[in-house]
Amino acid sequence: MSNKNVQIFQNICPHNCYSSCGIRTYVNNGAIVDIEGDPNHPFTQGRLCSKGYTLLKKSYNPERILNPMIRAKKGSNQWRNISWKKAIDLIVNKILEIKESGQSTESIFFDMRTGNIGMLQQALANLFNSLGPITKVGNGLCDPAGADAHFYTFGEVRNADPSDMLNSQYIIIWGGNPAATSIHQMTLIKQIKQNGGKIVVIDPIQTATAAYADTHIKIKPGTDGALALGMIKYIYDHDLWDREFVTNHVLGWEEFLHYFETEVSLEWSSKTCGVSIEQISMLAREYCTKKPSAIWQGLGGQRHINGGQNYRIINSLAAITGNITVIGGGIYYIDFRSYNLLNNAFKHVNLNHTDRCININNLNGLMGIPIKLAFITSSNPMAQYPNINMIKKFFDNVEFTVTVDHFFTETAKFSDLILPVATFFEKPDFLASYWHKYIGYSKQAIKPLGESKNEFEIARLLAIELNELGITEPLKYLPDLNADDFLARHLKPLLARLSEVDYSDIIKGGYYKLTGINTTWEDKKFKTPSGKIVLPSNPIYLPERKPKNNYPYRLIATHSEVSLNSQFSNIDVIQNIAESPKVFINNKLALYLKLKNSDKVRLYNNCGEVIMKLEISDSVPEEVIMCYQSNQKDNFSINCLVEPLLTDLGEGSRGFKGVAYHDTFVNISKA
Ligand code: SF4
């Protein structure tokens, strides 16, 4: 873009995604005229995904909410614009009513998720935390079981550097689909294959990644631990384990051995996970002999009631072969260390209370203290939480719901007040990746559209009124700052402490890795209490969830390349690619059920029902019904079918268990 009036800004995609891409934003006369991937970003190197290239359209989308809006009356579909002053008054009055009536501040529900993963929104979290103990959903939705598997095995949740994978000769991608969800890492995986390395995918579904791989192992969902145990059995029987490493750096081997001698055979493993003994043996042999060999655990494989234990058993493979300390070996999951460093720097330090953190499945029927005010930001619980009909009942009983968003999401439609929020082009922010570990400054490129405001500004307006009423004493400083001051106030001390990059340099642009973010474990020092890797203990294999008579098919709602949970699907180009929501079943199952392509089918279980269009595809196993995460345009969320089940692990590293999204069973019939 050669026009000399055009200014270029560095932005960072704020979506919940492995890549956290660097973006170049071209602005002319106060309007964005183009965006492209930032070639200077060390990991994403100038490339965005198909969603990323629509970010400009998303920002200028005619459906964007650009004024605060109030619903005419609860349950109605009529909205009218109101001023920010009135909107803030409504929220403050509700808080005041709670305080003055002597009710607990636990009657305030605050929900902030990962609709964007920038740091600026911490201003809102701090403001609500300063009110006193409030109510939150404790559960992380997506990753806690796998995170705990790493926490208990290695003492922390830590990945090798993604580029280290290029040193691998053999990659097992276990329960993930980077071709759709992590396109930049997929590029590295393709390089590994081109350089002669071998790619194996373990997945019940023939995803795009599985189709690309050298070998696709089709496993029965939820039985990953049984396959890993079969591999370990083979490795032990053929003396392929690393005796020296296990003796010096692994705890629990004796108990593990006893379990193998009494409980595990290749026949049992094969029967349980549906993978032939030949394939189990081949996988084990190649994993041990084509070194360095790495395993990448996706998020999908741990969304089961036994997902955490399954991932612990998979972790054991990297431990007993010593692969964990080898560059190009190791085991990848996610790595929140950079993100947590930043995020913790923004946490308000003066608070000495404990919030009421509740189990997501107990939201409806909250005992004791009913919810008077719900404040939702960066979240769409009416689409993304499990068992949506139960979540609806919860919101039905909330006196006043406020949603901060860009669009009329399912949750916004259910709210009483909507506050229009600025996009990432319209505010300054800091972002950190949970994959490649780079952090960076995303510079405000244009003014907020319409009357939208960034999260800091919304918090500041609330703080001005609440401070006058003496309610948010700890946040006295907030009204005197702007968004950039707020970022600097929280980040400068952290960067000074890490003494790698100066704040004044980082806001000029560029992407930085923080010191102290080590990657592999070459030093063989693990942060477990014993300093050693800890193998899982009895009962080592937790059985997978089995179908019920009335609901015989497992539902797997997965991510596609063109959508991200409930986001992006209202963008016209994405709609053209994504078509209408479809459900995929295997040809054999279609014949058995006498269903054909394009039939309208009903999926149902105890939690709800949806009507979708059928596509027959042999990429899906016979016992599985697959679809993609749904969106705003579909007027339903597939999560209305997700049963209220939690994963086995999550409390150790995340405080709460995750949601066992992939252990839902449904039935299907012609609609
Ligand atoms: S969604 Fe992910 S891959 Fe796509 S532009 Fe954003 S960070 Fe990059």
Side-chain angles (χ1 to χ4, degrees):
M1 192 141 299
S2 57
N3 184 340
K4 64 180 177 0
N5 295 323
V6 171
Q7 288 177 284
I8 304 173
F9 293 82
Q10 173 182 296
N11 288 118
I12 298 174
C13 177
H15 289 286
N16 179 358
C17 169
Y18 288 93
S19 294
S20 295
C21 293
I23 294 175
R24 272 188 181 170
T25 303
Y26 295 88
V27 175
N28 190 5
N29 209 12
I32 305 173
V33 289
D34 200 5
I35 60 167
E36 63 179 1
D38 185 348
N40 293 327
H41 192 289
F43 182 73
T44 59
Q45 297 186 356
R47 194 167 152 233
L48 307 177
C49 71
S50 46
K51 301 177 287 287
Y53 288 110
T54 70
L55 287 166
L56 187 51
K57 275 189 171 260
K58 189 170 181 235
S59 217
Y60 285 113
N61 191 308
E63 292 179 5
R64 226 182 111 181
I65 301 168
L66 295 175
N67 296 87
M69 298 181 90
I70 182 99
R71 185 197 290 280
K73 67 176 193 299
K74 212 165 181 75
S76 93
N77 244 343
Q78 290 176 348
W79 295 83
R80 64 183 164 80
N81 293 348
I82 58 167
S83 68
W84 272 101
K85 171 83 179 92
K86 282 195 176 139
I88 296 294
D89 282 352
L90 282 168
I91 301 167
V92 169
N93 287 342
K94 201 74 199 163
I95 294 169
L96 193 60
E97 183 188 312
I98 292 164
K99 289 270 189 184
E100 285 186 341
S101 63
Q103 294 170 75
S104 164
T105 46
E106 288 181 0
S107 59
I108 298 171
F109 175 71
F110 181 74
D111 191 42
M112 185 171 95
R113 294 270 160 189
T114 52
N116 89 75
I117 57 171
M119 297 296 145
L120 195 67
Q121 58 183 341
Q122 286 300 329
L124 276 172
N126 286 350
L127 182 114
F128 276 88
N129 283 331
S130 75
L131 298 175
I134 52 176
T135 298
K136 295 173 182 167
V137 168
N139 314 73
L141 299 181
C142 295
D143 64 7
D148 256 17
H150 282 247
F151 176 70
Y152 289 127
T153 309
F154 306 116
E156 60 185 320
V157 188
R158 160 174 164 179
N159 278 354
D161 195 285
S163 58
D164 281 357
M165 235 189 233
L166 281 173
N167 297 302
S168 305
Q169 287 299 307
Y170 192 79
I171 309 273
I172 300 177
I173 302 169
W174 204 316
N177 181 18
T181 59
S182 181
I183 59 160
H184 301 91
Q185 195 65 26
M186 193 64 200
T187 303
L188 298 188
I189 286 167
K190 287 181 178 173
Q191 277 179 42
I192 295 164
K193 188 171 167 180
Q194 280 154 14
N195 294 340
K198 181 167 178 180
I199 313 298
V200 177
V201 168
I202 299 173
D203 201 306
I205 294 165
Q206 194 191 26
T207 60
T209 311
Y212 175 81
D214 298 288
T215 303
H216 175 202
I217 308 273
K218 286 190 182 174
I219 187 172
K220 283 188 199 163
T223 65
D224 309 81
L227 173 57
L229 284 169
M231 290 171 69
I232 295 169
K233 172 84 176 157
Y234 182 94
I235 289 166
Y236 179 70
D237 288 349
H238 291 79
D239 208 17
L240 292 169
W241 55 295
D242 186 331
R243 198 174 295 269
E244 187 278 329
F245 185 79
V246 170
T247 305
N248 293 310
H249 304 289
V250 176
L251 203 68
W253 179 239
E254 294 304 319
E255 197 178 343
F256 221 55
L257 274 188
H258 176 70
Y259 180 75
F260 274 102
E261 278 158 12
T262 54
E263 308 280 338
V264 177
S265 66
L266 284 182
E267 289 73 20
W268 167 83
S269 167
S270 172
K271 193 164 172 240
T272 308
C273 69
V275 178
S276 70
I277 290 177
E278 291 70 33
Q279 278 193 310
I280 297 171
S281 308
M282 176 273 294
L283 202 52
R285 197 171 49 248
E286 290 185 349
Y287 177 67
C288 293
T289 53
K290 291 184 185 289
K291 284 186 174 176
S293 45
I295 296 174
W296 180 358
Q297 295 164 322
L299 291 163
Q302 50 89 57
R303 290 178 183 149
H304 294 281
I305 56 166
N306 58 348
Q309 186 75 345
N310 281 342
Y311 272 30
R312 284 193 75 181
I313 300 169
I314 296 169
N315 289 345
S316 309
L317 279 164
I320 65 158
T321 55
N323 252 320
I324 192 67
T325 60
V326 180
I327 291 182
I331 193 148
Y332 293 78
Y333 181 52
I334 47 176
D335 189 336
F336 271 100
R337 286 175 298 160
S338 300
Y339 178 88
N340 286 343
L341 269 172
L342 257 60
N343 201 38
N344 290 339
F346 281 89
K347 288 235 164 89
H348 195 42
V349 288
N350 294 337
L351 307 178
N352 56 3
H353 59 255
T354 308
D355 291 326
R356 178 170 64 152
C357 289
I358 49 174
N359 178 340
I360 195 166
N361 294 325
N362 296 337
L363 253 187
N364 185 35
L366 266 185
M367 300 303 288
I369 305 162
I371 300 299
K372 302 267 176 196
L373 169 66
F375 193 95
I376 317 295
T377 183
S378 210
S379 179
N380 188 6
M382 294 283 285
Q384 293 313 122
Y385 280 14
N387 199 1
I388 300 289
N389 290 323
M390 183 268 292
I391 302 294
K392 261 185 197 150
K393 284 184 191 153
F394 164 74
F395 279 107
D396 270 339
N397 289 321
V398 173
E399 277 187 17
F400 193 70
T401 299
V402 184
T403 295
V404 178
D405 214 307
H406 304 124
F407 297 107
F408 269 98
T409 62
E410 290 83 349
T411 308
K413 284 179 205 158
F414 222 76
S415 304
D416 301 290
L417 175 67
I418 302 175
L419 303 180
V421 69
T423 67
F424 71 103
F425 295 120
E426 300 157 17
K427 64 180 179 184
D429 212 340
F430 268 90
L431 288 106
S433 162
Y434 55 77
W435 182 247
H436 54 63
K437 304 172 182 72
Y438 286 96
I439 67 163
Y441 177 62
S442 186
K443 194 172 169 69
Q444 179 171 351
I446 56 169
K447 287 185 183 154
L449 294 198
E451 291 191 25
S452 56
K453 294 188 186 297
N454 66 54
E455 296 92 339
F456 167 82
E457 194 54 27
I458 297 171
R460 195 181 74 87
L461 292 177
L462 285 166
I464 289 170
E465 288 205 22
L466 290 167
N467 284 355
E468 275 173 18
L469 296 166
I471 291 177
T472 45
E473 275 296 295
L475 291 180
K476 269 204 162 134
Y477 66 92
L478 214 55
D480 299 326
L481 305 183
N482 63 32
D484 264 313
D485 297 334
F486 174 76
L487 294 170
R489 178 188 170 106
H490 287 276
L491 265 192
K492 267 186 182 172
L494 173 75
L495 295 179
R497 181 160 56 80
L498 295 174
S499 66
E500 183 168 333
V501 51
D502 194 67
Y503 188 84
S504 56
D505 289 329
I506 202 168
I507 59 170
K508 285 181 195 147
Y511 309 92
Y512 301 85
K513 276 187 184 171
L514 297 177
T515 47
I517 306 290
N518 301 325
T519 52
T520 46
W521 274 282
E522 297 105 297
D523 60 3
K524 298 175 184 154
K525 287 187 180 140
F526 300 93
K527 285 193 177 162
T528 53
S530 61
K532 295 183 175 186
I533 295 175
V534 179
L535 297 180
S537 51
N538 266 329
I540 290 180
Y541 182 67
L542 300 179
E544 70 283 7
R545 186 166 192 240
K546 305 275 191 321
K548 301 273 181 307
N549 283 345
N550 292 345
Y551 307 116
Y553 308 112
R554 185 184 293 269
L555 175 70
I556 297 186
T558 184
H559 293 285
S560 82
E561 196 195 331
V562 293
S563 67
L564 192 52
N565 299 322
S566 61
Q567 294 179 310
F568 285 99
S569 42
N570 58 337
I571 312 300
D572 52 5
V573 280
I574 295 282
Q575 279 174 353
N576 293 341
I577 305 168
E579 303 174 32
S580 61
K582 276 184 193 162
V583 57
F584 298 83
I585 66 169
N586 176 294
N587 190 38
K588 260 193 192 166
L589 181 60
L591 284 173
Y592 172 72
L593 296 171
K594 299 189 174 54
L595 294 171
K596 53 185 192 317
N597 260 328
S598 300
D599 275 352
K600 275 195 168 175
V601 291
R602 175 175 164 253
L603 297 191
Y604 60 98
N605 63 10
N606 278 338
C607 297
E609 69 166 43
V610 296
I611 308 282
M612 296 172 89
K613 201 163 133 188
L614 183 76
E615 182 164 323
I616 297 168
S617 164
D618 280 340
S619 62
V620 182
E622 213 177 320
E623 71 279 12
V624 167
I625 291 179
M626 193 203 95
C627 65
Y628 294 111
Q629 283 283 334
S630 67
N631 49 56
Q632 300 156 34
K633 282 284 176 199
D634 304 337
N635 284 326
F636 72 87
S637 165
I638 196 68
N639 292 325
C640 74
L641 298 174
V642 171
E643 297 178 69
L645 295 167
L646 297 184
T647 55
D648 51 337
L649 297 180
E651 287 160 316
S653 60
R654 295 279 191 269
F656 265 83
K657 295 176 175 183
V659 177
Y661 279 101
H662 295 337
D663 276 339
T664 279
F665 287 90
V666 297
N667 209 336
I668 182 169
S669 64
K670 198 162 176 179

